[in-house]
Every structure is written in structure tokens, then in C-alpha cells.
Amino acid sequence: MKYYIKFSLLLMCLGILLPACSRFLDVPPKGVVGADDLNTPENVEKLVIAAYASLGNDHWEVPYTSAWVYGSVRSDDAYKGGLGTADQGEFTQYEVFSTIQENQSRGNLLWTRLFMGVQRANLALKGINGLSDDSYPEKKQRRAEMRFIRAHFYFLLKSHFKKVPFIDETISQDSINTVSNVQYTNDEQWNKIADDFQAGVDDLPQQQEQIGRPNIYTAKAYLAKVRLYQAYEQDEQNNVTHINPQRLNEVVTLTSDIITGSGYKLSGDYAENYLWQFENGKESIFAVQRSLNDGSEVGRIDMSTALNYPMYPAYGCCSFHRPSQNLVNAFQTGLDGLPKFETFNNVEMKDQADFQANSFDPRLDHTVGLPGHPFKYQNNIIYQTSSWTRGPELYGPFSGMKSVVQADCPCLTTAKGYAYPASSMNNDIIKFDDVLLWKAEALIELGRQNEAVDIINQVRQRAKNSTGRLVDANGHPYSNYHVELYKPGQNIAWTQANARKALQWERRLEFGMEGARFFDLVRWGIAAEVLNDYFEIESKRRTYLQVAHFTKNRDEYLPVPTQQIDLSDGLYKQNNGW
């Protein structure tokens, strides 16, 4: 798919941007070519491609693909970074929670950009529905693909904003003004998203000729994710009031199908998930496809992470998305090779000697740029806090690595018109390790934790094996690595409570700095407890966090933008607490 997307086509179909103050679903952009004008299979295919292109149309202003602001900076994983708290200042508001405003421009822009994806999918679906099966043999499959893309954007909308209006291709432009964001209950909203993914399960092939298009297992994976989120039933105040066993059993069934029948597997080395040369590998289930030199003006490069590179000359800018001290400490292991669940945060691990004197999970050096260590497996490039970071006295000594490519990667470029680095490395949305841990989580919550231990251990074993690239030019390990598997009755009492703690810890280590952490905490119903404990300690290390506070029953979701409520003439209702 990546070489099939052309910017000239996108401009013809939809235009690139809408003003942030416009209500996207209400006001069609000038110059849009509608479905009525594109009533041939050839032109409908262009609408389909435009919908696919929307998957990667985010930007550092609204990085919804990498979710580094919304899922990492809003959690205990990361600081915003940059030159200071005023640099991209609205992101600081998201980080500290206490100063978030209902009318923030970035919140409105996020809402608008996500609905742009919904609109493109709906426009393609209108065109598809207007063709006969005989004239368009791909009709059923393309319809399933577009419903998948629409559901992807609605999943993002719901997980960020909770209360969103559901607009499908059957709703006329004149009727959009009558659609409320509380037309459906919370559970019914999840079902609407699930229905679109179920269409993919029903009508997508087992394999696609073009990489980037979803297949039946991609749809099953995303459907499993929806059902897992839906299983943690919330009341109007965002409290988790019940965990639904029926939904959990659906998760177990769907993930089992993927594990046994899809052919997806864990990569042999954890590093392969974060290196350009291994993209679309055996672990990648669904990814936003990026490209360079594809015939378009600037390529389909990843602008969502362009601020996150360190200040090393080969990158140039801008030192955002910085790992927290809390996250670095969480990678510690004890003498038994297991996480230090209760004592991990007692002492700061920050100096080069700390990482030899103590033992760590290897995923630390896959995730975090550490002082004196080779950066991103490049033994000729040694990470130095003083010259590689902005504001180390404010944001600490570390840098993130997962979304950063190697300095000599042919995928690295400079965004046209900017001094910021960007790359054509794909953004993975769902990987096989996610599927494994979703199944383990569902089993644990069903009281079947004994069936989950081997699954969690698969992920830990891969981490234990992933040290081959973590040696310096002299063959010495970057850090002192020590990881062991969970052995019930030997090194852990495998109760449901302990299994739950192990699962939640494993997700944090496995997906650190990948934008998942905040949404996990909200799903589990523990965001207020975890984040306010984090702020209490971390604010003594990072003084700007002294104003930070998570307000329970409010901050689980972003406010519905005031601009959108005003444009709906008050039809839209605000989330609880705002």
C-alpha cells in the first residue's frame, strides 16, 4: 500500500486540512469531490486510498498514531520534554492535568483530525455502496476494509473523548446536526465499533496481497481489543463498576484464533519491533505504512514523532517525549530476576554506574537512551545527556528510543519546510505481543490465572533472549541484565492478585513509551491512584510537576471540545467532571 498512495490524489479527493475551528462533520471542505462524482470502480478505489492515507495524516501537533502525548506523557512513563514547559505548552497541560481547559485548541484539533478519518471512510463507503457487485467485484472486501478504518478512528475517538457522535455513511449531510454524542450508552457505543470490526472478521481474507490492508486476523485482533476495553464496564463517572466475563471470554476466543491460526509470532529479538529494516515482520499485525521516494512530494513520513529525536547532530531536534525516572526504575529486577514490585522506586537509577551495580530487564536499553550507553544499538554513537537533551535539569537525563530510527538509516529525512527529523518507519498499532498479553489479562480476570502464566512467560523469555544487540564495541553488555520467568510456588505465589500485578507490570515494560500506558490505567480503573502516587514522588525530582494532580472521575477522558459543543448548538454533552 505504501507506494500506492499519492499526494496529488489526496488533494483531488479531499484536501489536506480543515480549519481547527470548523466542525468537521458539518462543513465539507471546498473542492471536495463527493461520492456522487466518483461513481466508477476506478474512482471509488481512489476514495479507498484516500481513506487509507488518513491513517498516517497526523502531525506532532496531534500525534494520534504514536499517541506519545495522550498515552505516555499523560501517564507515569514520560515527561513532555522540549525546551521547557512553555514549549508546546498545551502538552504540558495534558501532562499535569490540573490546567487542562475545555477549549484547548489541540483538543479540538485532535477531535477534528480523527473525524477526518471517519469522514474519509464514510465517503468511500458511500461510493462502494453505489456500485454493483458485478461492476466492482472487490465490493464486499473493500467495504469491510473501510468499516475497519472507520472503527479504528472511532476507537481512538472513544478512548480519548468517551462521548462521541456516531456518524455512518447512511446519514445525510442535513441529518448530521441531529446526531448527539449521547445517542447511545457507553456499552452501545463500544458495540457500534465492534460491529465494524466484526464486518472485517466476516468479509476480509486470511491474507492480503498488498501489505497494509487488514486481513481477517487484523480484524479479530482489533475486535479483541474493543471487547477487552468494553469488559471493564464504566458508570457515568468513569468508575469501573464491573468486569464482564462474557466479553472476557470473547477476548480469549479471538486471541486464541490469532495465536493458533494466523502465522503471527513474536520476533526473535525485541529490537526488531523498533528497527526500520524489520518493519512488517512476523509480529506486526496492523501498522500505518510509511514511505520515502514514493513519487509524492514529501513521502508518507512520520511527522507525529518528529519532535522526539534527541539533539545529536545527525538528528538535530527536539528532545521531546522523555522517559520518566519512574519508568527507568521500573525496569529493575531483584535477585530472583523478577520485577521489584514494591521497592523499584526507592532509589533513582540515573548514573552510568547504577546500571552495572543493579540488575535490569533488557527492555530498558531497547526503550531508553541512557548516559554513556550506545544509542539505538549504534556502538559508535554514545549517548551524552549534556549535549543530547534540552532542559536536563527540568526533564532529567534520559531520551526515548523506540520511535527514533538509527542515525544512518536510509529511512531518516528532514521534513520539508522544517528543521525537524522524520522517518518512513512504520507505526505499529497492534503487534503479536499485545495479543498475547490481552489473552493473559482476560484469563486472569476470569480467575484462570494458571492458564496465563505461560503466556506472560513467553513475553518474558523473549525479553531475556533480547541482549544480542545490547553489547558495546568490546562485547560488554550495556547494563547488568537479569530476567527470570514466573514459577508459581517457587518464586511467586500465583494468586489472581499477584498474577494481575505481574500482567500489568509486564504490559508497562513491554510497551513502555509506546502510548499505551495511560489507556491501560483507565481501563483497569486505577489511573487516579497510580498517577497521584507518581506525582507525589516524581514532583520532588521534577519540580514543574508540583502543580500536577489527576482528578478522579474527570481526567480519565479529555473534555469534549467547547468548540464542538458550541457548533452543535448544545446538542453535544460534556464528559463528567468538566
Side-chain angles (χ1 to χ4, degrees):
M1 286 296 296
K2 62 169 58 178
Y3 302 108
Y4 197 43
I5 297 172
K6 308 294 183 184
F7 260 53
S8 59
L9 171 61
L10 305 186
L11 289 168
M12 178 193 76
C13 291
L14 293 170
I16 295 298
L17 286 175
L18 289 175
C21 60
S22 296
R23 183 182 175 196
F24 187 76
L25 290 175
D26 246 1
V27 183
K30 294 180 180 180
V32 165
V33 180
D36 292 340
D37 301 310
L38 295 169
N39 55 4
T40 68
E42 179 182 1
N43 286 334
V44 166
E45 280 288 290
K46 295 174 183 177
L47 289 177
V48 168
I49 295 167
Y52 272 107
S54 66
L55 293 172
N57 271 357
D58 57 341
H59 190 269
W60 66 74
E61 293 181 318
V62 279
Y64 57 77
T65 299
S66 60
W68 66 269
V69 172
Y70 314 108
S72 288
V73 170
R74 280 202 297 165
S75 79
D76 49 356
D77 271 8
Y79 316 128
K80 173 188 69 70
L83 188 58
T85 56
D87 191 0
Q88 302 295 325
E90 288 197 29
F91 293 164
T92 299
Q93 293 178 279
Y94 289 142
E95 180 178 10
V96 302
F97 291 97
S98 60
T99 58
I100 294 175
Q101 301 295 313
E102 296 173 29
N103 63 348
Q104 284 185 213
S105 62
R106 296 296 177 89
N108 188 48
L109 187 56
L110 175 62
W111 176 287
T112 300
R113 290 287 184 88
L114 292 175
F115 268 115
M116 179 184 291
V118 172
Q119 192 210 37
R120 287 194 180 189
N122 281 338
L123 187 60
L125 283 163
K126 287 181 181 180
I128 291 167
N129 293 341
L131 299 176
S132 68
D133 292 335
D134 290 340
S135 66
Y136 191 39
E138 300 86 359
K139 179 177 180 178
K140 183 171 73 171
Q141 179 175 318
R142 291 291 185 264
R143 178 171 170 77
E145 291 175 18
M146 293 301 96
R147 292 187 68 181
F148 178 96
I149 288 177
R150 179 172 66 190
H152 164 71
F153 282 106
Y154 265 123
F155 182 91
L156 295 178
L157 280 159
K158 180 150 184 62
S159 56
H160 286 77
F161 294 103
K162 190 171 186 177
K163 294 178 180 177
V164 293
F166 277 79
I167 312 294
D168 66 21
E169 77 277 16
T170 68
I171 297 176
S172 68
Q173 188 70 31
D174 293 339
S175 299
I176 288 176
N177 288 332
T178 67
V179 179
S180 167
N181 67 334
V182 291
Q183 179 181 5
Y184 301 103
T185 67
N186 191 53
D187 195 60
E188 288 170 341
Q189 286 184 335
W190 282 121
N191 281 333
K192 295 286 288 184
I193 299 171
D195 287 346
D196 274 350
F197 286 130
Q198 184 62 53
V201 174
D202 295 338
D203 294 333
L204 288 174
Q206 289 196 347
Q207 293 184 333
Q208 291 272 20
E209 291 184 7
Q210 290 180 313
I211 293 173
R213 294 187 189 269
N215 58 41
I216 185 174
Y217 296 109
T218 315
K220 284 186 176 183
Y222 226 141
L223 180 58
K225 187 175 186 178
V226 170
R227 294 308 192 195
L228 184 61
Y229 274 64
Q230 187 178 16
Y232 294 84
E233 296 177 356
Q234 293 183 0
D235 61 18
E236 182 64 20
Q237 289 73 43
N238 309 330
N239 298 302
V240 175
T241 58
H242 177 64
I243 302 178
N244 189 316
Q246 176 186 342
R247 297 305 184 199
L248 294 175
N249 279 311
E250 290 180 68
V251 174
V252 172
T253 298
L254 289 162
T255 53
S256 296
D257 288 348
I258 298 164
I259 292 167
T260 60
S262 68
Y264 294 109
K265 298 182 183 299
L266 290 177
S267 300
D269 190 320
Y270 187 67
E272 293 177 9
N273 290 318
Y274 312 104
L275 289 169
W276 166 80
Q277 56 266 41
F278 295 101
E279 65 183 10
N280 294 319
K282 59 186 177 182
E283 192 163 347
S284 178
I285 294 177
F286 177 50
V288 174
Q289 302 294 306
R290 302 291 185 179
S291 62
L292 273 178
N293 304 319
D294 56 7
S296 64
E297 185 177 9
V298 296
R300 297 296 296 161
I301 54 178
D302 179 13
M303 296 297 291
S304 73
T305 60
L307 298 181
N308 299 350
Y309 287 77
M311 305 302 291
Y312 179 68
Y315 299 129
C317 202
C318 283
S319 196
F320 281 75
H321 195 205
R322 306 271 290 281
S324 71
Q325 184 65 62
N326 183 287
L327 175 65
V328 171
N329 291 347
F331 285 96
Q332 289 184 85
T333 58
L335 295 176
D336 57 2
L338 301 185
K340 299 174 72 172
F341 294 115
E342 306 302 329
T343 61
F344 79 99
N345 206 28
N346 288 356
V347 179
E348 296 181 43
M349 299 290 109
K350 59 183 180 181
D351 297 322
Q352 190 171 356
D354 293 334
F355 301 102
Q356 291 295 333
N358 303 275
S359 60
F360 294 87
D361 188 302
R363 285 171 288 190
L364 169 66
D365 276 298
H366 294 281
T367 305
V368 181
L370 298 172
H373 290 203
F375 189 79
K376 196 75 177 184
Y377 323 115
Q378 301 163 105
N379 285 328
N380 60 327
I381 301 177
I382 306 301
Y383 179 81
Q384 303 293 335
T385 298
S386 59
S387 58
W388 284 53
T389 65
R390 301 162 87 188
E393 71 288 347
L394 193 67
Y395 294 118
F398 313 117
S399 290
M401 288 198 300
K402 283 184 173 177
S403 64
V404 174
V405 301
Q406 292 178 317
D408 61 354
C409 183
C411 62
L412 183 64
T413 187
T414 300
K416 184 176 181 180
Y418 299 97
Y420 307 139
S423 84
S424 61
M425 185 169 71
N426 290 351
N427 303 108
D428 276 309
I429 306 299
I430 298 176
K431 304 193 304 294
F432 189 70
D433 51 357
D434 232 339
V435 171
L436 287 173
L437 293 179
W438 291 338
K439 181 176 180 179
E441 181 178 336
L443 289 169
I444 290 167
E445 297 305 332
L446 286 167
R448 297 163 57 184
Q449 59 269 15
N450 289 340
E451 300 174 55
V453 64
D454 287 343
I455 300 172
I456 296 174
N457 279 340
Q458 285 184 53
V459 177
R460 290 186 65 77
Q461 183 66 57
R462 195 266 295 273
K464 184 177 181 178
N465 295 343
S466 297
T467 59
R469 289 180 171 85
L470 304 181
V471 291
D472 63 21
N474 296 316
H476 300 141
Y478 297 172
S479 301
N480 177 25
Y481 305 119
H482 183 206
V483 173
E484 294 298 336
L485 308 185
Y486 290 108
K487 301 172 184 177
Q490 298 181 41
N491 58 11
I492 190 170
W494 198 250
T495 62
Q496 185 184 42
N498 284 346
R500 181 183 295 119
K501 182 185 295 185
L503 179 281
Q504 292 178 355
W505 209 274
E506 202 66 29
R507 281 197 60 84
R508 188 181 190 192
L509 301 185
E510 185 74 4
F511 304 111
M513 302 293 286
E514 294 186 43
R517 176 67 170 171
F518 178 79
F519 302 105
D520 282 346
L521 295 175
V522 171
R523 180 174 78 253
W524 298 327
I526 61 174
E529 172 190 348
V530 170
L531 293 180
N532 284 328
D533 286 349
Y534 162 74
F535 291 140
E536 182 179 356
I537 297 174
E538 209 77 359
S539 62
K540 296 178 176 64
R541 300 165 174 163
R542 310 287 176 251
T543 56
Y544 78 96
L545 290 176
Q546 290 175 359
V547 300
H549 180 76
F550 184 99
T551 300
K552 184 176 175 59
N553 304 133
R554 185 196 76 167
D555 288 330
E556 290 83 4
Y557 297 93
L558 297 176
V560 176
T562 300
Q563 299 92 322
Q564 300 300 322
I565 294 175
D566 291 344
L567 287 166
S568 75
D569 293 326
L571 180 65
Y572 290 173
K573 304 305 178 186
Q574 186 54 271
N575 283 321
N576 186 75
W578 294 100

